[in-house]
C-alpha cells in the first residue's frame, strides 16, 4: 500500500522532521536567547479554577471560630515539623517534605475572568492585546528544542475558556485539549485516539483522501502545501506510537488505584506520563471547579479527597521516579474564597470570591519543599507577611525553566511585549521566591 | 422536469469526462470586463502580462453562497444552478436572491461583530444581554441595508442604557475606556488606522473628542448608561456592576486624563487631518467629530469601509492589511480604490450596492487555480485566493451536510447565553458563547476588533480534529441524511453524485466516480488479500462499477463522505 504523497512527503521531511507537531511553522519561529540554567524541564499546572477556599484547605485557622472555619475546623500535622494543613488533606500531609505552601498569594481581584487572566499571564488586563498564558509562553521558548510528537502544551481534559490562552501569539500556541476521560476504560483523546477505526482503515482513508483531492491536483499553492504539512504531522500521531502515552492501561493497576480511580486522579497520572515523555507544559483544569458559592461544605467534602489523593500520589510518584527535581508542579486557583462564611440564604454557608489573600502549592523543578512562604492574618483575611503577587510566582517558574522574563514575545505589531512586566508602581511585586529556589 | 435534469446531468458528466481536470474549477475563455472594477483591475493585470481566468459555475455557486450567506448551497440548490442553462444572467440573479436571505444578515453581522467586538465577557465585558441588543441592532441595520454613514453616526453619537440602546455598546466594547482608549478604538474601527502608527499628539488630540464620554452604573445588575458628561460627573469608568465594590476598587480603569481644566468652557483640539477646532461647551464633542468624519471629503471614512468590505469578499484589502491605512502603506490599485469610494458615496453609502457591484465583477469571479503564486499578482487580484472556511462557517457546513447540531455555551452561564440547539454558529450574537471547535478553528476573540484577530490558518490540532475526532466521525457515521443519499435504491454513480453535490456543491468527474466506487475500507481489504487481484481484474473499467458497488459497506460510504469533507476543496473557499 503506497501513498502517493511523494512531493509533499519530501516537503514535510525537509521542513518538519520528526518533531514539532504543533509548531509546524518552525521556520518562522525565532529562537530566543535563553542562557539561564534550566532546572524545571517540564511543568504541571493544576488549576483549581473557580477558586478554592484557603481557610478550609492549605491555610487553616483553627482558632478563628465557626464563622471562618465552618465544618472543617481541624488541622492535621504533616511529615514536616511545625507545618499543619486542613483536615481534608491526610495524604498530602504525608508528602509535606516535597512541596511548599505559599500562604500569601495576593492580587485583590475578585472576578473570575480578570483574576484567571492575571494569574496565568502575569499581566493585568487593560492592555490593548491579550497576553498569552504561561503554557503558551513555554510553547514559544521550549517548542523548538522539544522533539516529541505530542504538542508541547497539553490541557487535561478541557480548555478553561475564560480567555484565549494563546493570546496575541496566535493559534499555533493554543493548548492541545485532550477531551475524553482518562478514568474511562479507554482514554479517547480527541483526534488522536479514535473510537473503532483500525489502522488499516486509517491508511485506506488517507489514501482515498489523497486520490480524491481534485483541488490539490489542480493547484500548487503554499497554502495547500502548509495544510499538507500539518496533515502529515497529524498522521504521525494518528498512525504512530506517540499516542501510547495516553494509554493508561499500560500502568500498574495498583498505581492507578494510588492516584485514585476518578477523573482528577487519572489526569494526574496522565500528566506524569506526559512529562515523562518530555512534554514541557501540562495543565490539569480541575474537573468541576471550585466556585463554591452554594453547597460549599458538601463540595469540599466531595472534591478535597480526590485532590488530596491525586496530588499526593503525583508528588510521590514523580519523586520515586527521580522526576520531581526536573518537574515543577504548581497548584492554585485564580483566587481563594472569602475567609468569612456567608451563612445567609441563598448561600447557606457558601464562600465568595476572594483575591486579597489565598494559597498556592509549589513543588519540584528547583523549588525546595518542606516549608511555608508568607502568611495570612489570623482569620485568613489579608496578607500578614511576604506578599506574593502573580508576577512573583510566574517569574520564579520562568526563572527555574530558564526563560528570561524580559525577553520579548512575538507581538503582531512589533511592539515591546515582555514575558512579564517589570515590577513598578503599577506592577505590584513582593519579589521572586528566592527563599525556596 | 426530473427527466430533463437527468439528461442534463448526463450531459454535464460527459463534458467533465472530455475536459481536463481544470474544467471543474474554471472556464476555458478569458472573461470580458463586466463593470468598471474589471476595467481597472484588468488594466493592472495586463501590465503584469496576466490573462484573467473565470471560475466555473460550480465554483461560483459555492463561492457566492459562502461569501454572501456563510453557508454552502444544498445539493438541490447547487444542482439547479449548475445545470440551469435558461438564463444568461444566472450569476447576477443568484447574487440578488442571496442578498435578500436572512442568512446574509446573520453572516455579515458575524463579520461586523468581530470588528465591533460583540462579546459579553473578557476582555471587553459587554455582559450577555447587552451583547444581544448590540448584535440585534447591527443585524437589523444589515437586514435593512442601513446606509453606512448613518450606521456609523448612530454608534459614534449614541447615548443611553447598554441594555436598551444597542449602539451605545460601541463605547463599552473596549478594553480601555479612557478617552485615549476610545480614540484608538474609533480610529481602528471607522478610520482603518492603528493608532500605534500615529504620534502621541495625534492620539491625544483625537482623545479630546471622547473626553466627555460618561459611564454610569444603575441599580440594575450590570446595566450602565453611556452619555455625554461635560461636567465629568463620572470620571471613573465603572465597568463593574453595583454591589461588587471590591472588584471596582481593585481593577477599575482609572481615567488617566487630568480632569477637564475649564469645565463649562470650550475644548480646543486638532482633527486627525491637522485642522484645528474649538468645540463650544454646548456641543457634544462626539457629534463634532462625527460631523468631521462622515463627509465625502474625509480621507479615511469611505476608504476604510470600502477596504474592509472588499477584503471580506476578496481575501485581502486594496490596502493590505485592511485596517492599517498609513501613508507608507499605499493601495495596490489606487484608481480602483478611488473609483469605489466615489461610487459608494454616489450611492448614498449603500452597502448592498457595493457588495452587489463587487460580486458581479469578473474580478470577484476569477478562478482560484490560475494566476496564483505570484505575490504581485495576488495584490492585483489576479485570482480568487484560497481561504480556509471560518470556524463558524465550517461547523455549520458540517452540520448542514450531516443534519446534526453542536452545543454552544458560555463559560459564565447567564440568561441570554442559552441558545436553541439547532442555531447556526454563524448566527450566534455573543462571542462569549462558544464551543471547543470554534475556539480550535480560530474564531475571533473579539478582544481588539483588528482584522487579523480571526485566524483561518490551519494547524495540526485542527487536522487531528477533522481527520480523527469522535466529534466529526460520529456526525458522519450517525447521519441519517447521508445514509439516505448513499445507501438507497438507484445506481451507485447516482449516490456518488449526491455525495459530491451535497459536500462539494458540484458533480463528480467519471474519474472521481471510479475512485470512490473502487474504495474499500479495512473490512473488505482482507478478502482482497486472500484472493490477489489478477491483471485482468485490475483492468476492470468503469463499466463494472456496479460490481464494486454491491460490495459497498455502510462504513465505506462514511469514509467517502469523510474524505470529501477533509478535502481542501471542502475546507477552503476557492
Amino acid at each position: 500500500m503506497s501513498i502517493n504523497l511523494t512531493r509533499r512527503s519530501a516537503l514535510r521531511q525537509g521542513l518538519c522532521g520528526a518533531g514539532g507537531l504543533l509548531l509546524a511553522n518552525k521556520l518562522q519561529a525565532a529562537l530566543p536567547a535563553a542562557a539561564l540554567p534550566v532546572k524545571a524541564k517540564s511543568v504541571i499546572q493544576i488549576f483549581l479554577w473557580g477558586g478554592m477556599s484557603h481557610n478550609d484547605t492549605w491555610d487553616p485557622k483553627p482558632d478563628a471560630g465557626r464563622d471562618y472555619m465552618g465544618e472543617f475546623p481541624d488541622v492535621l500535622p504533616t511529615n514536616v515539623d511545625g507545618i499543619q494543613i486542613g483536615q481534608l488533606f491526610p495524604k498530602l500531609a504525608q508528602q509535606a517534605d516535597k512541596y511548599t505552601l505559599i500562604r500569601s498569594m495576593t492580587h485583590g481581584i475578585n472576578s473570575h475572568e480578570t483574576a484567571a487572566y492575571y494569574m496565568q499571564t502575569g499581566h493585568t488586563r487593560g492592555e490593548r492585546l491579550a497576553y498569552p498564558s504561561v503554557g503558551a509562553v513555554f510553547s514559544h521558548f521550549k517548542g523548538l528544542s522539544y522533539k516529541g510528537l505530542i504538542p508541547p502544551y497539553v490541557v487535561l481534559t478541557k480548555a478553561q475558556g475564560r480567555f484565549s490562552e494563546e493570546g496575541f501569539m496566535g493559534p499555533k500556541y493554543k493548548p492541545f485539549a485532550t477531551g475524553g476521560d482518562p478514568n474511562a476504560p479507554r482514554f479517547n483523546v480527541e483526534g488522536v485516539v479514535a473510537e473503532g477505526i483500525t489502522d488499516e482503515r486509517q491508511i485506506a482513508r488517507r489514501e482515498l483522501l489523497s486520490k480524491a483531492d481534485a483541488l490539490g491536483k489542480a493547484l500548487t499553492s503554499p497554502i495547500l502545501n502548509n495544510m499538507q504539512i500539518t496533515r502529515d504531522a497529524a498522521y504521525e500521531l494518528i498512525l504512530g506510537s506517540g499516542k501510547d502515552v495516553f494509554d493508561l492501561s499500560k500502568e500498574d493497576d495498583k498505581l492507578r488505584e494510588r492516584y485514585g480511580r476518578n477523573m482528577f486522579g487519572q489526569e494526574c497520572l496522565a500528566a506524569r506520563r506526559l512529562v515523562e515523555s518530555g512534554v514541557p507544559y501540562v495543565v490539569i483544569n480541575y474537573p468541576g471547579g471550585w466556585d463554591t458559592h452554594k453547597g460549599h461544605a458538601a463540595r469540599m467534602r466531595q472534591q478535597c479527597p480526590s485532590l488530596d489523593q491525586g496530588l499526593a500520589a503525583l508528588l510521590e510518584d514523580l519523586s520515586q521516579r527521580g522526576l520531581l527535581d526536573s518537574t515543577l508542579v504548581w497548584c492554585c486557583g485564580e483566587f481563594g474564597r472569602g475567609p468569612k462564611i456567608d451563612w445567609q440564604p441563598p448561600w447557606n454557608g457558601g464562600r465568595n470570591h476572594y483575591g486579597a489573600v489565598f494559597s498556592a502549592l509549589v513543588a519540584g523543578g528547583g523549588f525546595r519543599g518542606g516549608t511555608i512562604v508568607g502568611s495570612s492574618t489570623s482569620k485568613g483575611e489579608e496578607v500578614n507577611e511576604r506578599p506574593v503577587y502573580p508576577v512573583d510566582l510566574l517569574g520564579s517558574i520562568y526563572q527555574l525553566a530558564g526563560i528570561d522574563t524580559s525577553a520579548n514575545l512575538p507581538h503582531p505589531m512589533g511592539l515591546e511585549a515582555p514575558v512579564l512586566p517589570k515590577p513598578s508602581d503599577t506592577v505590584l511585586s513582593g519579589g521572586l521566591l528566592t527563599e525556596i529556589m | 422536469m426530473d427527466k430533463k435534469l437527468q439528461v442534463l446531468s448526463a450531459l454535464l458528466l460527459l463534458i467533465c469526462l472530455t475536459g481536463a481536470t481544470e474544467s471543474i474549477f474554471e472556464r476555458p475563455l478569458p472573461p470580458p470586463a463586466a463593470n468598471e472594477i474589471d476595467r481597472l483591475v484588468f488594466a493592472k493585470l495586463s501590465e503584469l502580462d496576466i490573462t484573467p481566468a473565470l471560475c466555473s459555475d460550480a465554483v461560483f455557486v459555492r463561492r457566492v453562497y459562502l461569501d454572501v450567506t456563510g453557508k454552502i448551497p444544498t445539493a438541490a440548490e447547487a444542482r439547479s444552478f449548475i445545470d440551469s442553462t435558461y438564463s444568461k444572467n444566472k450569476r447576477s440573479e443568484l447574487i440578488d436572491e442571496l442578498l435578500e436571505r436572512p442568512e446574509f444578515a446573520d453572516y455579515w453581522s458575524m463579520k461586523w461583530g468581530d470588528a465591533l467586538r460583540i462579546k459579553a465577557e473578557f476582555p471587553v465585558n459587554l455582559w450577555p444581554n447587552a451583547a444581544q441588543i448590540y448584535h440585534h441592532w447591527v443585524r437589523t441595520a444589515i437586514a435593512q441595508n442601513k446606509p453606512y454613514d448613518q450606521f456609523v453616526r448612530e454608534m459614534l453619537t449614541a447615548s443611553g442604557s447598554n441594555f436598551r440602546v444597542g449602539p451605545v455598546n460601541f463605547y463599552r466594547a473596549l478594553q480601555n475606556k479612557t478617552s485615549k482608549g476610545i480614540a484608538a478604538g474609533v480610529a481602528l474601527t471607522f478610520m482603518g488606522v492603528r493608532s500605534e502608527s500615529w504620534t502621541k499628539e495625534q492620539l491625544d488630540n483625537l482623545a479630546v473628542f471622547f473626553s466627555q464620554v460618561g459611564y454610569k452604573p444603575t441599580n440594575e445588575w450590570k446595566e450602565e448608561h453611556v452619555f455625554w458628561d461635560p461636567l465629568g460627573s463620572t470620571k471613573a469608568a465603572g465597568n463593574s456592576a453595583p454591589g461588587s465594590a471590591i472588584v471596582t476598587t481593585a481593577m477599575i480603569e482609572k481615567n488617566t486624563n487630568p480632569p477637564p481644566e475649564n469645565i463649562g468652557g470650550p475644548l480646543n483640539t486638532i482633527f486627525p487631518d491637522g485642522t484645528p477646532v474649538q468645540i463650544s461647551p454646548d456641543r457634544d464633542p462626539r457629534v463634532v467629530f462625527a460631523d468631521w468624519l462622515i463627509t465625502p471629503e474625509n480621507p479615511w471614512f469611505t476608504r476604510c469601509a470600502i477596504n474592509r468590505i472588499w477584503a471580506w469578499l476578496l481575501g485581502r484589502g486594496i490596502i493590505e492589511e485592511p485596517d492599517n491605512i498609513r501613508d507608507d502603506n499605499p493601495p495596490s490599485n489606487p484608481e480602483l480604490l478611488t473609483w469605489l469610494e466615489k461610487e459608494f458615496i454616489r450611492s448614498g453609502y449603500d452597502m448592498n450596492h457595493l457588495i452587489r457591484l463587487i460580486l458581479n465583477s469578473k474580478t470577484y469571479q476569477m478562478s482560484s487555480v490560475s494566476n496564483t503564486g505570484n505575490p504581485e499578482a495576488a495584490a492585483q487580484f489576479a485570482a480568487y485566493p484560497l481561504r480556509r472556511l471560518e470556524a463558524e462557517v465550517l461547523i455549520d457546513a458540517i452540520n448542514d451536510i450531516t443534519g446534526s447540531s453542536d452545543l454552544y455555551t458560555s463559560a459564565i452561564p447567564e440568561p441570554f447565553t442559552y441558545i436553541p440547539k439547532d442555531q447556526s454558529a454563524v448566527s450566534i450574537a455573543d462571542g462569549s458563547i462558544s464551543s471547543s471547535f470554534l475556539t480550535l478553528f480560530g474564531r475571533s476573540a473579539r478582544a481588539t476588533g483588528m482584522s487579523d484577530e480571526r485566524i483561518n490558518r490551519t494547524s495540526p490540532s485542527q487536522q487531528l480534529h477533522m481527520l480523527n475526532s469522535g466529534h466529526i466521525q460520529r456526525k458522519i457515521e450517525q447521519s441519517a441524511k447521508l445514509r439516505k443519499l448513499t445507501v438507497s435504491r438507484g445506481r451507485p454513480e447516482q449516490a456518488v453524485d449526491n455525495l459530491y453535490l451535497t459536500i462539494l456543491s458540484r458533480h463528480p468527474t467519471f474519474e472521481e466516480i471510479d475512485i470512490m466506487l473502487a474504495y474499500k475500507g479495512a473490512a473488505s481489504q482482507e478478502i482482497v488479500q486472500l484472493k490477489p487481484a489478477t491483471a485482468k481484474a485490475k483492468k476492470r473499467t468503469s463499466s463494472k462499477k456496479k460490481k464494486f458497488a454491491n460490495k459497498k459497506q455502510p462504513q465505506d460510504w462514511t469514509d467517502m463522505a469523510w474524505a470529501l469533507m477533509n478535502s481542501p476543496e471542502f475546507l477552503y473557499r476557492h
Side-chain angles (χ1 to χ4, degrees):
Chain A
M1 175 131 318
S2 82
I3 295 173
N4 183 20
L5 289 172
T6 342
R7 177 174 57 93
R8 285 160 177 172
S9 302
L11 248 173
R12 184 203 76 216
Q13 273 149 23
L15 289 175
C16 226
L21 174 67
L22 247 206
L23 301 177
N25 288 332
K26 280 188 153 196
L27 290 173
Q28 291 164 14
L31 183 64
L36 298 167
V38 179
K39 290 183 181 158
K41 291 190 182 127
S42 293
V43 173
I44 298 173
Q45 175 193 348
I46 298 171
F47 195 57
L48 306 175
W49 64 272
M52 184 178 77
S53 159
H54 49 291
N55 285 42
D56 288 338
T57 59
W58 299 338
D59 191 10
K61 305 286 178 187
D63 303 325
R66 185 160 179 277
D67 279 355
Y68 291 85
M69 294 305 293
E71 298 189 30
F72 312 108
D74 297 332
V75 294
L76 295 171
T78 66
N79 67 347
V80 175
D81 280 348
I83 297 181
Q84 297 180 322
I85 64 171
Q87 67 186 78
L88 294 168
F89 293 89
K91 292 200 162 72
L92 269 180
Q94 295 314 305
Q95 307 294 333
D97 56 320
K98 300 187 181 61
Y99 58 81
T100 288
L101 294 174
I102 302 169
R103 288 179 171 164
S104 51
M105 284 302 307
T106 181
H107 53 53
I109 299 164
N110 289 355
S111 72
H112 288 294
E113 54 273 34
T114 312
Y117 175 73
Y118 194 11
M119 281 301 288
Q120 293 179 88
T121 65
H123 292 263
T124 49
R125 144 187 186 221
E127 293 164 77
R128 169 106 169 229
L129 298 183
Y131 271 81
S133 66
V134 188
V137 174
F138 265 69
S139 279
H140 177 62
F141 287 99
K142 303 283 177 191
L144 284 175
S145 53
Y146 167 65
K147 297 290 178 212
L149 284 173
I150 308 289
Y153 175 19
V154 178
V155 171
L156 294 159
T157 57
K158 286 185 190 141
Q160 225 266 306
R162 283 260 155 87
F163 71 101
S164 299
E165 291 90 341
E166 72 277 18
F168 55 67
M169 296 202 302
K172 73 179 175 183
Y173 295 101
K174 236 180 225 315
F176 175 75
T178 62
D181 175 3
N183 193 38
R186 186 177 150 109
F187 181 14
N188 282 321
V189 176
E190 192 72 330
V192 177
V193 183
E195 303 153 65
I197 298 179
T198 61
D199 279 0
E200 290 76 23
R201 188 168 160 207
Q202 289 282 15
I203 291 165
R205 274 158 54 121
R206 187 183 188 184
E207 191 183 25
L208 177 65
L209 192 53
S210 147
K211 277 186 183 164
D213 177 7
L215 190 61
K217 287 174 192 165
L219 171 66
T220 309
S221 124
I223 292 170
L224 293 188
N225 283 341
N226 181 54
M227 192 214 72
Q228 195 56 45
I229 290 166
T230 61
R231 181 160 282 181
D232 292 348
Y235 267 115
E236 282 192 50
L237 200 50
I238 293 171
L239 294 169
S241 58
K243 62 177 183 286
D244 290 353
V245 70
F246 295 113
D247 186 357
L248 300 190
S249 70
K250 290 198 167 9
E251 294 287 328
D252 183 29
D253 268 348
K254 277 194 196 126
L255 184 69
R256 294 193 76 178
E257 294 295 334
R258 213 165 88 203
Y259 273 88
R261 287 309 293 256
N262 54 62
M263 196 162 175
F264 175 71
Q266 300 303 302
E267 285 174 348
C268 286
L269 179 56
R272 193 221 75 210
R273 287 179 64 86
L274 285 166
V275 299
E276 214 169 21
S277 75
V279 174
Y281 205 90
V282 182
V283 177
I284 299 173
N285 280 323
Y286 196 96
W290 295 83
D291 199 12
T292 54
H293 290 280
K294 298 181 188 173
H296 172 78
R299 282 275 290 283
M300 295 303 277
R301 232 179 266 115
Q302 180 208 337
Q303 289 188 175
C304 289
S306 12
L307 174 61
D308 182 43
Q309 182 175 10
L311 184 49
L314 174 64
L315 295 175
E316 192 183 16
D317 196 13
L318 285 173
S319 164
Q320 283 168 354
R321 285 166 196 260
L323 287 169
L324 192 57
D325 290 339
S326 61
T327 307
L328 191 155
V329 179
W330 65 291
C331 176
C332 62
E334 64 268 40
F335 43 51
R337 300 204 82 77
K340 190 154 191 252
I341 293 172
D342 194 340
W343 298 109
Q344 300 302 312
W347 317 114
N348 302 321
R351 291 183 185 272
N352 299 321
H353 305 169
Y354 203 76
V357 65
F358 57 104
S359 298
L361 179 151
V362 296
F367 279 133
R368 194 154 56 80
T371 182
I372 302 282
V373 168
S375 64
S376 61
T377 51
S378 62
K379 290 173 179 167
E381 290 173 315
E382 282 170 52
V383 173
N384 180 46
E385 53 173 355
R386 207 301 181 213
V388 178
Y389 288 90
V391 287
D392 306 326
L393 175 60
L394 300 192
S396 305
I397 293 170
Y398 284 132
Q399 181 166 329
L400 291 174
I403 294 172
D404 176 3
T405 55
S406 66
N408 237 355
L409 295 169
H411 189 286
M413 287 177 289
L415 299 181
E416 201 174 298
V419 171
L420 284 179
K422 279 210 172 62
S424 70
D425 291 350
T426 52
V427 179
L428 301 172
S429 164
L432 294 181
L433 299 166
T434 45
E435 58 266 56
I436 54 166
M437 286 160 68
Chain B
M1 178 71 184
D2 256 352
K3 212 161 196 181
K4 205 168 203 173
L5 276 181
Q6 269 177 15
V7 172
L8 280 170
S9 31
L11 205 76
L12 211 98
L13 285 177
L14 203 74
I15 295 166
C16 290
L17 187 70
T18 49
T21 330
E22 289 89 274
S23 68
I24 302 173
F25 299 113
E26 61 187 5
R27 288 237 176 116
L29 294 173
N35 57 27
E36 191 60 26
I37 294 175
D38 293 338
R39 279 183 278 280
L40 294 165
V41 171
F42 289 3
K44 287 279 183 189
L45 293 182
S46 81
E47 282 171 27
L48 294 169
D49 218 7
I50 289 172
T51 312
L54 195 64
C55 71
S56 66
D57 276 350
V59 166
F60 176 78
V61 67
R62 187 180 179 88
R63 180 187 296 176
V64 77
Y65 265 82
L66 281 168
D67 284 338
V68 178
T69 67
K71 293 170 85 75
I72 59 170
T74 64
E77 287 167 335
R79 181 185 279 123
S80 92
F81 181 82
I82 295 167
D83 296 350
S84 130
T85 49
Y86 300 120
S87 169
K88 267 185 83 177
N89 297 322
K90 65 177 183 174
R91 291 193 182 191
S92 63
E93 283 163 15
L94 180 61
I95 291 165
D96 288 344
E97 186 201 323
L98 292 178
L99 284 170
E100 295 300 319
R101 292 204 183 183
E103 291 88 355
F104 163 65
D106 290 340
Y107 181 49
W108 284 66
S109 302
M110 180 187 103
K111 292 172 181 290
W112 279 109
D114 291 352
L116 299 172
R117 304 165 299 273
I118 306 182
K119 187 179 188 187
E121 307 293 342
F122 192 82
V124 299
N125 291 21
L126 284 173
W127 306 130
N129 39 356
Q132 293 290 335
I133 191 178
Y134 191 16
H135 179 267
H136 179 75
W137 179 82
V138 170
R139 193 187 175 285
T140 307
I142 291 165
Q144 296 173 350
N145 194 23
K146 182 176 279 183
Y148 179 72
D149 55 341
Q150 193 187 336
F151 181 59
V152 174
R153 179 177 287 276
E154 285 177 24
M155 277 185 271
L156 277 177
T157 60
S159 292
S161 155
N162 59 335
F163 289 175
R164 283 162 248 284
V165 184
V168 298
N169 286 290
F170 172 78
Y171 283 105
R172 299 185 64 261
L174 297 160
Q175 288 185 65
N176 177 346
K177 295 185 191 65
T178 61
S179 55
K180 268 193 224 171
I182 299 172
V186 168
L188 180 74
T189 315
F190 302 125
M191 299 171 67
V193 167
R194 299 181 182 178
S195 53
E196 286 80 359
S197 71
W198 273 358
T199 63
K200 188 181 168 301
E201 288 70 35
Q202 277 177 300
L203 186 62
D204 286 347
N205 287 330
L206 184 57
V208 172
F209 294 100
F210 304 100
S211 60
Q212 297 181 349
V213 177
Y215 298 91
K216 184 174 68 178
T218 75
N219 286 331
E220 193 174 335
W221 177 243
K222 291 178 176 177
E223 188 186 37
E224 190 173 76
H225 278 267
V226 176
F227 66 113
W228 177 32
D229 182 21
L231 301 179
S233 66
T234 57
K235 264 308 153 196
N239 191 24
S240 308
S244 53
I246 302 171
V247 186
T248 316
T249 48
M251 277 313 291
I252 201 158
E253 294 131 303
K254 295 277 189 317
N255 193 327
T256 52
N257 299 306
E261 276 171 19
N262 54 342
I263 286 181
L267 289 174
N268 288 300
T269 187
I270 300 169
F271 285 117
D273 62 1
T275 315
V277 60
Q278 185 173 77
I279 307 166
S280 83
D282 61 347
R283 288 205 75 194
D284 183 344
R286 299 180 303 167
V287 176
V288 176
F289 175 75
D291 288 345
W292 167 82
L293 179 72
I294 304 168
T295 56
E297 295 76 34
N298 188 285
W300 288 281
F301 178 66
T302 315
R303 176 157 290 209
C304 167
I306 296 285
N307 213 35
R308 194 190 287 282
I309 288 170
W310 181 275
W312 280 340
L313 291 172
L314 281 142
R316 62 180 294 153
I318 304 170
I319 296 170
E320 178 68 6
E321 296 134 316
D323 53 6
N324 200 357
I325 298 176
R326 299 176 265 120
D327 288 346
D328 55 346
N329 185 22
S332 61
N333 187 334
E335 297 82 9
L336 174 65
L337 190 54
T338 309
W339 183 82
L340 285 167
E341 285 172 38
K342 282 191 186 138
E343 182 60 23
F344 191 42
I345 293 162
R346 192 198 60 76
S347 71
Y349 299 97
D350 181 336
M351 285 199 267
N352 286 6
H353 172 72
L354 177 66
I355 294 168
R356 191 177 280 116
L357 206 57
I358 297 173
L359 294 176
N360 275 299
S361 71
K362 294 292 185 279
T363 304
Y364 170 76
Q365 299 178 14
M366 226 68 109
S367 159
S368 56
V369 297
S370 292
N371 302 324
T372 60
N374 173 355
E376 212 179 330
Q380 296 302 339
F381 311 102
Y384 180 91
L386 294 192
R387 285 163 287 154
R388 207 204 70 224
L389 300 183
E390 302 100 311
E392 296 93 327
V393 173
L394 180 57
I395 193 64
D396 283 352
I398 293 168
N399 283 335
D400 284 348
I401 289 167
T402 55
S404 54
S405 61
D406 271 47
L407 178 68
Y408 303 106
T409 56
S410 166
I412 299 131
E414 278 197 36
F416 293 104
T417 66
Y418 294 94
I419 59 172
K421 189 167 153 272
D422 52 358
Q423 188 173 339
S424 72
V426 162
S427 68
I428 295 173
D430 172 358
S432 292
I433 302 174
S434 195
S435 69
S436 55
F437 183 96
L438 294 184
T439 312
L440 177 63
F441 283 79
R443 185 192 203 200
S444 171
R446 294 189 176 174
T448 66
M450 283 163 64
S451 60
D452 55 7
E453 210 177 359
R454 171 177 289 281
I455 306 208
N456 295 336
R457 280 196 301 277
T458 182
S459 74
S461 305
Q462 294 170 0
Q463 293 290 346
L464 286 172
H465 195 93
M466 280 304 298
L467 294 168
N468 204 35
S469 69
H471 176 230
I472 301 298
Q473 180 68 18
R474 274 191 299 276
K475 280 179 188 293
I476 304 174
E477 250 168 27
Q478 296 169 2
S479 167
K481 211 176 151 189
L482 284 178
R483 209 172 306 127
K484 203 172 149 207
L485 285 182
T486 52
V487 194
S488 61
R489 63 269 100 103
R491 301 182 314 140
E493 294 89 331
Q494 193 60 49
V496 174
D497 190 46
N498 287 340
L499 214 51
Y500 268 76
L501 278 165
T502 305
I503 299 171
L504 299 182
S505 322
R506 66 170 172 89
H507 294 293
T509 62
F510 276 165
E511 192 196 350
E512 286 171 326
I513 294 176
D514 278 354
I515 290 170
M516 286 293 147
L517 293 181
Y519 175 73
K520 289 177 286 293
S524 38
Q525 267 165 19
E526 281 165 27
I527 304 165
V528 174
Q529 277 163 6
L530 285 175
K531 292 191 238 168
T534 60
K536 205 175 162 190
K538 275 184 185 166
K539 279 187 182 167
R540 276 179 186 164
T541 59
S542 54
S543 66
K544 300 274 180 182
K545 275 182 309 243
K546 213 155 192 178
K547 287 206 169 170
F548 289 124
N550 290 340
K551 288 188 214 155
K552 282 275 153 294
Q553 304 291 320
Q555 80 167 36
D556 291 341
W557 288 109
T558 300
D559 288 354
M560 286 183 240
W562 167 90
L564 295 182
M565 288 162 75
N566 271 289
S567 68
E569 198 181 336
F570 176 76
L571 297 170
Y572 288 79
R573 273 165 214 280
H574 59 85

